[in-house]
Amino acid sequence: MTTIASRLESVRQRIARAEKDSHRQPGSVSLVAVSKHKDTHAIREALVAGQTRFGENYVQEALSKISELQGEPIEWHFIGSIQTNKASTIAQHFAWVHGIDRLVVAERLSAARPKQLEPLNVCIQVNIDTEATKAGVSIEELPQLAAAIAQLPRLHLRGLMAIPQITNDTTKQQFQFGAMRRAQEQLQSQGIALDTLSMGMSADLEVAIAQGATLVRVGRDIFGPR
Ligand SMILES: *Cc1c(COP(=O)(O)O)cnc(C)c1O
């Protein structure tokens, strides 16, 4: 029988091996378990197995799980696309938001972040294969958006996030994830401190880690098919 605990363990081993293969520090890549469309029983199984970071894509679905699991030591990551009218709810219930690609959304998150909570950790979503998707800011527009977001008082700009198109072409994957790392280095050279590259999912976490991912978001390979 394949349990969530055993699948989680094999994902951890894949991460550890990828860190080693690319001469990265052990433990330098953190794992967000993507629990969209999975119930709180599944989340509890992962929690018991030591997983504390969980990613959700849909606000309504996430809110009911967050309230059911209140009191558990969970760090919630919002990884879905953000509608402006949901920004305030997101700012109240999550520790991280990965998919920011417009200043207006960032401004709303900052304005709505409750005073008693730490600044909201955010990543800017970058569109590195423009033909495949419209989500994310282009590499050209990134420096200006990053500079503006870095000024917002209740946000902590942590880094960049990407969802490249799934492909079996390893060279293409390497190129896309490498472009993210170069974009991050570029921003750093302009004085914007970033410590996070949120990239890599079930199918491509090894390539992402080899190219510098510090946070991978894994759903299927932990929780099974959706
Ligand atoms: C669903 C999702 C994931 C997880 O993808 P898997 O292929 O299930 O590992 C990661 N990131 C985002 C943004 C997602 O929407």
Side-chain angles (χ1 to χ4, degrees):
M1 196 181 75
T2 320
T3 62
I4 287 173
S6 68
R7 283 194 294 250
L8 187 56
E9 183 50 33
S10 75
V11 168
R12 287 184 182 135
Q13 284 172 10
R14 284 170 62 192
I15 293 171
R17 195 173 317 124
E19 286 171 341
K20 193 159 182 282
D21 288 348
S22 46
H23 311 288
R24 306 272 309 275
Q25 197 92 332
S28 58
V29 177
S30 65
L31 171 63
V32 171
V34 176
S35 44
K36 62 173 172 234
H37 301 330
K38 298 295 172 180
D39 63 18
T40 51
H41 295 288
I43 295 175
R44 280 188 197 280
E45 267 188 73
L47 192 60
V48 167
Q51 178 65 30
T52 56
R53 298 186 175 102
F54 291 88
E56 290 283 339
N57 291 59
Y58 307 101
V59 176
Q60 276 328 108
E61 180 189 326
L63 283 184
S64 68
K65 296 181 201 176
I66 291 171
S67 97
E68 258 185 77
L69 292 165
Q70 202 150 32
E72 300 290 355
I74 296 180
E75 182 181 88
W76 292 103
H77 292 238
F78 190 77
I79 63 170
S81 62
I82 309 155
Q83 294 166 270
T84 40
N85 63 350
K86 297 279 169 63
S88 160
T89 310
I90 293 169
Q92 291 167 46
H93 292 95
F94 287 83
W96 282 71
V97 175
H98 291 245
I100 296 187
D101 63 0
R102 286 175 296 153
L103 186 57
V104 61
V105 166
E107 286 170 342
R108 292 207 184 180
L109 290 169
S110 181
R113 183 66 170 172
K115 294 272 177 295
Q116 71 276 15
L117 299 179
E118 296 284 297
L120 182 64
N121 298 294
V122 300
C123 293
I124 297 175
Q125 185 174 352
V126 181
N127 187 351
I128 40 174
D129 49 342
T130 37
E131 76 276 13
T133 166
K134 287 199 176 66
V137 67
S138 68
I139 293 275
E140 293 73 36
E141 295 164 308
L142 175 61
Q144 204 183 350
L145 181 61
I149 291 177
Q151 300 300 317
L152 294 172
R154 299 293 294 142
L155 301 188
H156 182 183
L157 178 59
R158 299 294 297 268
L160 307 180
M161 179 262 207
I163 316 174
Q165 195 182 17
I166 296 292
T167 167
N168 293 322
D169 181 346
T170 311
T171 309
K172 187 172 181 202
Q173 286 179 338
Q174 284 167 340
F175 179 80
Q176 293 177 327
F177 290 133
M180 291 291 289
R181 193 192 60 245
R182 288 188 293 277
Q184 186 190 35
E185 288 164 357
Q186 178 78 37
L187 293 176
Q188 271 161 340
S189 76
Q190 293 166 10
I192 298 176
L194 302 173
D195 62 13
T196 302
L197 267 182
S198 168
M199 58 189 197
M201 318 201 299
S202 294
D204 54 15
L205 69 89
E206 284 85 357
V207 186
I209 291 170
Q211 296 297 324
T214 64
L215 182 157
V216 293
R217 308 173 311 266
V218 179
R220 282 165 222 277
D221 283 359
I222 295 172
F223 293 112
R226 289 182 287 272

